[in-house]
């Protein structure tokens, strides 16, 4: 009797699990996987193309600079314009810089796995990066980069689904390192001000989301990896 | 003896049956858990919206980079031509200088775009988000209530006031944005849709608007040239 009961119970369990297993089998994965694969392939191809195009633009920038340097050597009038151009390149982020400043480290926190909390407060959003950069500018930052991408006058932060993009679709992924050149005390004072970034600081406590900064006497910032096109705005006068 | 032996055999059989069933159960359980994890992974990877948005952005960026390459090739050819002829061409350099001054917000500019009026009090992050959306849609020059704005212009709330680069601006806010109206329109609509529950937003297309304010570049004290 005992054996029969055990066997019956076990058979029942096995059958129900087998049934559940059968029902939970994803639909024949061919369509899903094929679509997934095709999309991933497109992204990879476009990102490869993006890298090649950036390298091409950088090569051309070097050629143009060589032409400009040579032109300036031949004419003092050109030399004067070239000096003004060099100043504008520095301001626009087209020149690598180094100096004292702050390194800010950010990483996602812990997913609370709480059905009542669907805020995604444990992840770093592009608005967090935008807010930090804004506080840094307000605190006297002279130049900023995130994960090696220089923040330039027309930089916009953007969500493409789960990806954070800046500067010609450069994909940023965590952990994030924001590097800012400027007076380290002033920059740290801005970030540490309790009135600033209050929501991010609160999420950092709740979800153990990483948000810290380090002062440094020597930091390097890369130049912007592309150039600028102006199509609609014309100088007045 | 016999009955004891039969009892032992029955116990052994029972043990074997139970063990087999336990193995089968364990196996199925593991497969079950694994298949659930695989389904979860597939779903994560299958975030079609994310991938589609990324593809869209990459296409747009790559087109921009192609155009940048074409402009640089033209500039290089112009410089090279003058050098080959034994002279030098200030025009190509002057053109680049003008472009960078526009990008840096250092010259008054005009062109097509949008005028956006916001009647009511908004927070710093709301204006930042709106400006970010417009820049993402290719805004080439922006001013808010007489303050020229580039990405390094801080926007902060101080009580009910907004500070742009440390200067207080108050409602109504008037945003002037130069760029492709076709691209800027949807970006402005997006911002308006989130603001319109509390404040009035009016968006007007302009064939030509002027932004006369300029940005004063911040001096570099801590930053030095080079890597």
């Amino acid at each position: 009797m005992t054996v029969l009961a055990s066997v019956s119970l076990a058979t029942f369990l096995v059958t129900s699990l087998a049934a559940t297993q059968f029902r939970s089998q994803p639909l024949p994965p061919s369509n899903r996987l094929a679509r997934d694969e095709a999309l991933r392939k497109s992204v990879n191809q476009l990102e490869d193309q993006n890298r090649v195009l950036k390298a091409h633009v950088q090569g051309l920038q070097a050629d143009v600079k060589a032409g400009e340097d040579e032109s300036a050597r031949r004419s003092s009038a050109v030399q004067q314009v070239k000096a003004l151009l060099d100043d504008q390149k520095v301001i626009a982020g087209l020149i690598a810089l180094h100096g004292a400043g702050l390194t800010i480290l950010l990483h996602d926190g812990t997913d609370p796995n709480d059905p009542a909390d669907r805020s995604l407060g444990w992840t770093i959003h592009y608005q967090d990066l935008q807010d930090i950069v804004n506080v840094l500018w307000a605190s006297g930052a002279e130049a900023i980069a995130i994960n090696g991408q220089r923040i330039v006058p027309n930089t916009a932060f953007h969500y493409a689904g789960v990806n954070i993009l800046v500067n010609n679709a450069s994909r940023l992924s965590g952990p994030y390192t924001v590097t800012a050149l400027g007076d380290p005390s002033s920059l740290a004072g801005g970030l540490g001000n309790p009135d600033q970034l209050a929501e991010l600081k609160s999420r950092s406590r709740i979800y153990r989301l990483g948000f810290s900064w380090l002062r440094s006497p020597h930091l390097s910032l890369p130049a912007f990896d592309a150039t600028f096109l102006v199509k609609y705005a014309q100088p007045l006068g | 003896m016999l009955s004891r032996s039969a009892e032992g055999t029955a116990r052994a059989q029972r043990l074997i049956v139970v063990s087999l069933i336990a193995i089968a159960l364990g196996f199925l359980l593991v497969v079950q858990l694994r298949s659930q994890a695989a389904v979860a992974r597939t779903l994560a990877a299958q975030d079609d919206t994310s991938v589609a948005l990324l593809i869209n952005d990459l296409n747009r960026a790559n087109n921009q980079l192609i155009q940048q390459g074409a402009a640089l090739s033209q500039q290089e050819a112009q410089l090279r031509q003058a050098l080959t002829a034994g002279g030098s061409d200030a025009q190509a350099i002057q053109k680049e200088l003008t472009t960078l001054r526009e990008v840096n917000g250092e010259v008054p500019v005009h062109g097509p775009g949008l005028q956006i009026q916001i009647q009511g009090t908004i927070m710093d992050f709301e204006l930042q988000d709106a400006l970010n959306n417009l820049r993402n849609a290719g805004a080439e020059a922006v001013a808010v209530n007489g303050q020229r704005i580039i990405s390094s212009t801080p926007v902060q709330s101080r009580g009910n006031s907004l500070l742009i680069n440390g200067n207080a601006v108050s409602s109504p806010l008037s945003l002037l944005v130069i760029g492709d109206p076709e691209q800027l329109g949807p970006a402005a609509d997006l911002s308006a849709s989130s603001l319109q529950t509390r404040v009035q937003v009016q968006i007007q297309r302009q064939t030509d608007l002027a932004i006369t304010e300029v940005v004063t570049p911040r001096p570099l004290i801590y930053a030095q040239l080079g890597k």
Side-chain angles (χ1 to χ4, degrees):
Chain A
M1 277 305 283
T2 328
V3 177
L4 257 179
S6 317
V7 171
S8 310
L9 182 66
T11 313
F12 170 73
L13 280 170
V14 170
T15 316
S16 21
L17 255 177
T20 318
Q21 171 72 15
F22 180 72
R23 286 177 64 177
S24 80
Q25 282 286 340
L27 291 170
S30 56
N31 281 351
R32 258 193 199 173
L33 288 177
R35 185 183 294 133
D36 212 30
E37 188 60 33
L39 285 170
R40 262 206 310 272
K41 212 170 165 183
S42 296
V43 169
N44 288 339
Q45 281 172 349
L46 286 166
E47 284 189 331
D48 285 347
Q49 197 190 358
N50 190 270
R51 274 188 288 275
V52 169
L53 285 166
K54 277 182 183 165
H56 179 61
V57 163
Q58 282 163 24
L60 286 167
Q61 278 176 306
D63 293 345
V64 166
K65 188 180 178 305
E68 287 169 350
D69 289 345
E70 180 58 28
S71 303
R73 271 194 290 276
R74 293 192 187 179
S75 150
S76 60
V78 173
Q79 204 169 5
Q80 284 175 359
V81 184
K82 169 84 171 35
L84 295 172
L85 176 67
D86 288 344
D87 289 346
Q88 291 297 318
K89 282 185 179 177
V90 174
I91 297 165
L94 288 165
I95 306 291
L97 296 173
H98 70 274
L102 219 59
T103 303
I104 298 104
L105 305 164
L106 284 151
H107 64 75
D108 288 345
T110 313
D111 184 351
N113 284 317
D114 177 359
D117 181 357
R118 295 178 180 273
S119 65
L120 289 180
W122 59 280
T123 57
I124 302 286
H125 303 275
Y126 81 86
Q127 291 94 335
D128 297 321
L129 298 176
Q130 185 183 296
D131 290 347
I132 288 170
V133 166
N134 184 57
V135 170
L136 290 169
W137 290 131
S139 309
E142 295 173 8
I144 302 175
I146 302 180
N147 287 13
Q149 276 297 322
R150 188 75 174 266
I151 306 301
V152 292
N154 63 1
T155 293
F157 297 90
H158 181 49
Y159 252 145
V162 295
N163 305 292
I164 299 179
L165 305 179
V166 292
N167 299 348
N168 297 307
S170 300
R171 195 149 40 124
L172 299 180
S173 50
Y176 304 94
T177 304
V178 183
T179 314
L181 299 187
D183 177 7
S185 301
S186 168
L187 298 174
L191 295 177
N193 182 342
D195 293 338
Q196 303 287 354
L197 308 166
E199 194 246 347
L200 176 64
K201 287 171 187 169
S202 145
R203 281 166 42 219
S204 169
R205 281 189 296 271
I206 298 169
Y207 302 105
R208 283 185 287 166
L209 178 149
F211 175 41
S212 59
W213 53 89
L214 290 166
R215 299 174 194 211
S216 173
H218 188 95
L219 294 168
S220 290
L221 255 69
F224 177 41
D225 61 4
T227 185
F228 303 96
L229 277 183
V230 177
K231 294 186 222 162
Y232 297 89
Q234 300 293 321
L236 260 179
Chain B
M1 281 295 283
L2 267 176
S3 91
R4 196 173 285 173
S5 157
E7 201 178 300
T9 312
R11 193 177 292 157
Q13 278 174 343
R14 211 158 49 216
L15 262 174
I16 291 166
V17 168
V18 170
S19 305
L20 279 174
I21 291 166
I23 290 166
L25 268 173
F27 175 74
L28 263 176
L29 201 68
V30 168
V31 175
Q32 173 77 9
L33 287 173
R34 277 196 181 158
S35 92
Q36 274 170 359
V39 169
R41 267 203 306 277
T42 316
L43 285 173
Q46 270 225 345
D47 181 0
D48 286 359
T49 317
S50 296
V51 181
L53 286 168
L54 188 58
I55 288 173
N56 185 47
D57 274 56
L58 279 164
N59 269 317
R60 200 166 55 131
N62 289 355
N63 283 335
Q64 279 281 319
L65 288 166
I66 289 168
Q67 288 176 40
Q68 288 181 18
L72 285 165
S73 294
Q74 200 182 353
Q75 192 182 351
E76 203 266 338
Q78 204 177 333
L79 284 165
R80 195 61 53 200
Q81 200 178 3
L83 288 169
T84 311
S88 63
D89 187 351
Q91 233 179 354
I93 300 177
Q94 185 67 50
K95 195 178 165 202
E96 191 184 354
L97 175 62
T98 304
T99 299
L100 290 186
R101 277 183 168 155
E102 289 178 303
V103 168
N104 290 331
E106 291 188 31
V107 285
V109 286
H110 73 104
L114 302 180
Q115 179 163 15
I116 306 166
Q117 292 276 344
I118 303 173
Q119 186 89 41
T121 308
I122 62 168
M123 298 295 291
D124 50 2
F125 62 87
E126 291 173 309
L127 181 56
Q128 277 174 37
D129 288 349
L131 294 169
N132 186 63
N133 285 344
L134 291 164
R135 270 197 291 272
N136 195 46
E140 294 181 355
V142 182
V144 179
N145 287 26
Q147 301 285 326
R148 183 79 170 261
I149 292 186
I150 54 174
S151 81
S152 57
T153 308
V155 177
Q156 295 178 291
S157 286
R158 187 70 46 83
N160 269 343
S161 321
L162 272 180
L163 298 182
I164 296 178
N165 207 16
N167 302 301
V169 294
S170 49
S171 172
L173 294 181
S174 172
L175 280 70
L176 300 180
V177 192
I178 295 178
D180 179 1
E182 294 294 328
Q183 298 286 325
L184 295 174
D189 289 341
L190 184 69
S191 297
S193 62
S194 63
L195 290 173
Q196 258 162 350
T197 53
R198 292 188 298 105
V199 296
Q200 277 192 322
V201 184
Q202 279 189 319
I203 303 166
Q204 285 182 315
R205 280 190 183 204
Q206 304 280 347
T207 50
D208 192 44
L209 54 84
I211 294 177
T212 53
E213 299 81 14
V214 295
V215 170
T216 308
R218 57 184 72 205
L220 298 186
I221 299 162
Y222 292 86
Q224 292 163 43
L225 302 189
K227 287 179 185 172

